[in-house]
Amino acid sequence: MDYKLCDDINESLLSKFLNEKEIAVDTELHGLQLYRDEICLIQICDDKENVCLIKPNKKYAPKNLIRLLTEPSVKKIFHFALTDVSFFKTSLNIDVTPFCCTKVMSKLIRTYTQNHGLKDLSLELLNLEISKDQQQTNWSESSLTNKQLKYAASDVLNLLKIYKILEKMIEKREPLRTGITIKELNYKAQSILPGLVDLFVNGYGDKNSGWETSLFSH
């Protein structure tokens, strides 16, 4: 399939996305330094494989994108939500809500492995090998090849499937010895993420290049 860049979600696609319970979202960045680097590309997909690739205007955030990312009835599914959501705030001044992180889910339920990348999840849960040969791309370029766009789209095309499989794995796990379930722990962990985003965006990320905080250290 050939993909095209747009500057916002068109009205027809927005209507489809707004009727979903969850949508998959990802970003391609110029780098990982908040306030220095920007979002270069935004990928959105629903469970019917409707894909939208947005090249945002640096002067303003697309209005339909804002509408979707702030719609309370649609959960935004990210693979590493802390980074993406933080950059939506610093780069486009969008407060994404509500959202969920599949990497957190993976770390809670897949304790038999240290491999929680999207490529690892795709291979184990979907038996699908994702190529990362376009990962080191200058996404700020105004013109991107179809190969680059296909790579970008691949990160969201199967994310909802992965999310739903992880959700089922979490629901099936027996309660821990304390009596709490992984489902309850996942709810608690996901609810912490917006607060962490606020801490990082406001300068309290003082470890790991700004992506960890010593605020709660002894």
Side-chain angles (χ1 to χ4, degrees):
M1 179 182 290
D2 291 339
Y3 294 101
K4 293 182 179 180
L5 288 173
C6 57
D7 59 7
D8 198 359
I9 308 169
N10 66 49
E11 294 294 335
S12 174
L13 204 49
L14 176 65
S15 178
K16 292 177 181 179
F17 287 159
L18 289 173
N19 282 321
E20 299 289 342
K21 290 182 178 179
E22 303 101 6
I23 57 160
V25 186
D26 189 30
T27 65
E28 303 298 340
L29 308 168
H30 198 265
L32 289 173
Q33 185 68 51
L34 289 173
Y35 294 103
R36 181 195 70 186
D37 298 316
E38 305 287 340
I39 290 178
C40 300
L41 183 67
I42 301 160
Q43 306 99 281
I44 302 172
C45 185
D46 61 15
D47 63 2
K48 300 170 186 64
E49 298 191 355
N50 293 307
V51 175
C52 183
L53 302 178
I54 300 170
K55 189 78 171 174
N57 189 312
K58 293 181 180 180
K59 295 181 180 179
Y60 61 89
K63 66 179 182 66
N64 286 347
L65 177 68
I66 296 173
R67 171 79 173 85
L68 178 64
L69 294 184
T70 58
E71 170 55 47
S73 67
V74 182
K75 184 182 291 185
K76 275 61 74 171
I77 309 299
F78 296 89
H79 182 59
F80 193 58
L82 279 176
T83 298
D84 293 307
V85 174
S86 295
F87 271 98
F88 271 117
K89 177 61 179 176
T90 61
S91 187
L92 295 172
N93 198 30
I94 301 176
D95 291 304
V96 181
T97 186
F99 64 88
C100 178
C101 180
T102 53
K103 194 163 193 175
V104 169
M105 295 172 74
S106 177
K107 287 185 174 184
L108 281 170
I109 193 63
R110 295 172 67 249
T111 50
Y112 49 82
T113 179
Q114 297 298 311
N115 301 319
H116 301 284
L118 191 57
K119 184 176 181 179
D120 305 304
L121 288 169
S122 297
L123 185 59
E124 180 188 326
L125 303 182
L126 304 177
N127 196 28
L128 180 66
E129 185 139 13
I130 294 179
S131 172
K132 289 294 183 180
D133 65 334
Q134 297 295 315
Q135 191 169 29
Q136 302 301 318
T137 287
N138 182 6
W139 296 104
S140 63
E141 291 288 342
S142 58
S143 179
L144 297 171
T145 67
N146 193 55
K147 189 174 183 180
Q148 290 170 320
L149 296 180
K150 281 184 176 179
Y151 164 81
S154 70
D155 280 347
V156 287
L157 271 169
N158 295 295
L159 186 56
L160 290 180
K161 293 177 185 177
I162 289 170
Y163 163 73
K164 289 174 182 177
I165 292 172
L166 289 172
E167 198 172 42
K168 287 180 180 178
M169 290 173 68
I170 286 171
E171 288 174 352
K172 287 171 64 177
R173 180 66 66 86
E174 293 293 325
L176 301 179
R177 291 187 179 185
T178 59
I180 197 168
T181 64
I182 303 297
K183 183 176 181 178
E184 291 169 319
L185 284 176
N186 182 54
Y187 176 81
K188 291 176 183 290
Q190 300 291 344
S191 68
I192 291 169
L193 296 180
L196 287 175
V197 168
D198 285 340
L199 288 173
F200 297 154
V201 165
N202 288 286
Y204 285 90
D206 52 6
K207 300 172 65 179
N208 191 20
S209 301
W211 295 106
E212 291 181 31
T213 180
S214 61
L215 189 65
F216 306 107
S217 299
H218 190 276

